[in-house]
Amino acid sequence: MKFILFLFSLITGHALALTLTTEDYPPFNIVDPKTQKVSGISTEKVSEVMRRSKEAFTITPYPWLRAFQLAQKETDTCVFSTTRTPEREASFKWVGPLVKNNWYIFARTGDTRSPKNLKELKAYSIGAYRGDAIAEYLEKNGFKTDLAKADEDNPQKLLSNRFDFWASGELLGLSILKRKNLSDKIIPILLFNQTEMYLACNLKTSQAKIDNYNKILQDMDKDGTNLAIENKYR
């Protein structure tokens, strides 16, 4: 498909549209289950960057691993919202940060264990989802993990005692619980990390484009655009 679009761009003289991939990760990327239209804090910021740069683009949601791998393999492709980690640093060119993301441990309501730090959970199994930066972090640091295909599967697995605790982004976890009417059954109990999330672009993306996108994003910070977007989702 990319090759066909490339030939079309050569014939018509139109620039090849940048492909932006993402996942459902509220409130940063929110996928409407009926229309597949994507909104959210990161989505609006990235869309505004593209608009100001006069870049033709499409946004398509996928399961996270698919969205992530497409940006690694396909030219003219970027993925968001992507946690920037040392392990991922050399795999992409980075635009951002777009947002900050608190990582939390969630527990069943009434669980009497009260860990003061992540090290106290070494003896327990922790649920996360495959390909996510949180899962990669836990596995790298020697924690026992139980990985789902999607984070939205983890609350029920926690309630079914498939694992002891659930690790997720604070706002994502709370959003999933609200959507599933489980906010009274599972609660966040421990903040264990804060990260920044970016637009991660294929390594073949022009550095001039990356520099321009980052400058535009900085301008959006200065002129209040980013704050206005964030306030819409509070």
Side-chain angles (χ1 to χ4, degrees):
M1 178 59 72
K2 279 276 181 120
F3 180 68
I4 293 172
L5 290 172
F6 176 69
L7 288 177
F8 177 78
S9 70
L10 288 179
I11 294 169
T12 63
H14 289 92
L16 190 63
L18 190 66
T19 300
L20 306 180
T21 65
T22 191
E23 65 169 337
D24 186 43
Y25 198 110
F28 306 122
N29 338 308
I30 306 169
V31 180
D32 186 303
K34 294 181 180 178
T35 66
Q36 292 296 289
K37 184 178 179 181
V38 187
S39 59
I41 298 171
S42 296
T43 307
E44 289 202 26
K45 289 184 181 181
V46 168
S47 296
E48 180 63 13
V49 168
M50 296 300 130
R51 187 189 70 78
R52 294 191 186 191
S53 67
K54 297 181 169 54
E55 186 83 59
F57 70 100
T58 61
I59 298 178
T60 307
Y62 295 97
W64 176 246
L65 268 180
R66 176 69 172 152
F68 188 82
Q69 290 169 352
L70 281 171
Q72 282 183 304
K73 296 175 182 178
E74 299 282 345
T75 58
D76 300 302
T77 304
C78 306
V79 57
F80 70 96
S81 303
T82 310
T83 302
R84 189 171 183 172
T85 65
E87 294 77 18
R88 294 173 173 178
E89 185 67 30
S91 298
F92 297 100
K93 292 183 177 180
W94 300 89
V95 179
L98 298 171
V99 292
K100 294 184 183 299
N101 188 28
N102 291 330
W103 291 1
Y104 259 84
I105 294 296
F106 288 77
R108 292 179 289 270
T109 302
D111 191 326
T112 57
R113 295 169 291 191
S114 302
K116 296 181 177 61
N117 55 62
L118 197 60
K119 289 182 180 179
E120 294 185 10
L121 298 182
K122 276 281 189 176
Y124 303 104
S125 60
I126 302 176
Y129 73 105
R130 203 171 304 281
D132 183 53
I134 295 176
E136 293 172 355
Y137 176 89
L138 292 172
E139 290 187 314
K140 176 187 174 184
N141 287 282
F143 287 86
K144 303 173 189 175
T145 58
D146 185 304
L147 303 184
K149 290 183 179 179
D151 213 18
E152 65 181 15
D153 297 333
N154 281 319
Q156 193 56 53
K157 292 177 72 176
L158 177 62
L159 292 174
S160 299
N161 295 307
R162 293 277 297 277
F163 44 74
D164 297 290
F165 297 95
W166 168 37
S168 184
E170 177 186 18
L171 298 181
L172 172 63
L174 292 173
S175 176
I176 292 173
L177 293 174
K178 183 177 180 181
R179 186 189 302 171
K180 292 181 174 290
N181 295 314
L182 294 175
S183 300
D184 60 334
K185 298 184 183 301
I186 298 173
I187 57 172
I189 62 166
L190 175 67
L191 170 66
F192 68 94
N193 198 14
Q194 185 182 75
T195 60
E196 294 177 328
M197 302 175 81
Y198 286 67
L199 176 69
C201 293
N202 184 272
L203 288 173
K204 292 183 180 178
T205 307
S206 156
Q207 187 60 47
K209 281 190 175 185
I210 297 297
D211 293 343
N212 186 44
Y213 298 158
N214 274 306
K215 182 182 181 305
I216 290 172
L217 192 61
Q218 291 168 7
D219 290 342
M220 288 165 56
D221 268 332
K222 294 174 184 176
D223 66 25
T225 300
N226 287 335
L227 181 59
I229 290 171
E230 291 163 9
N231 285 339
K232 287 172 60 177
Y233 292 88
R234 287 191 174 132

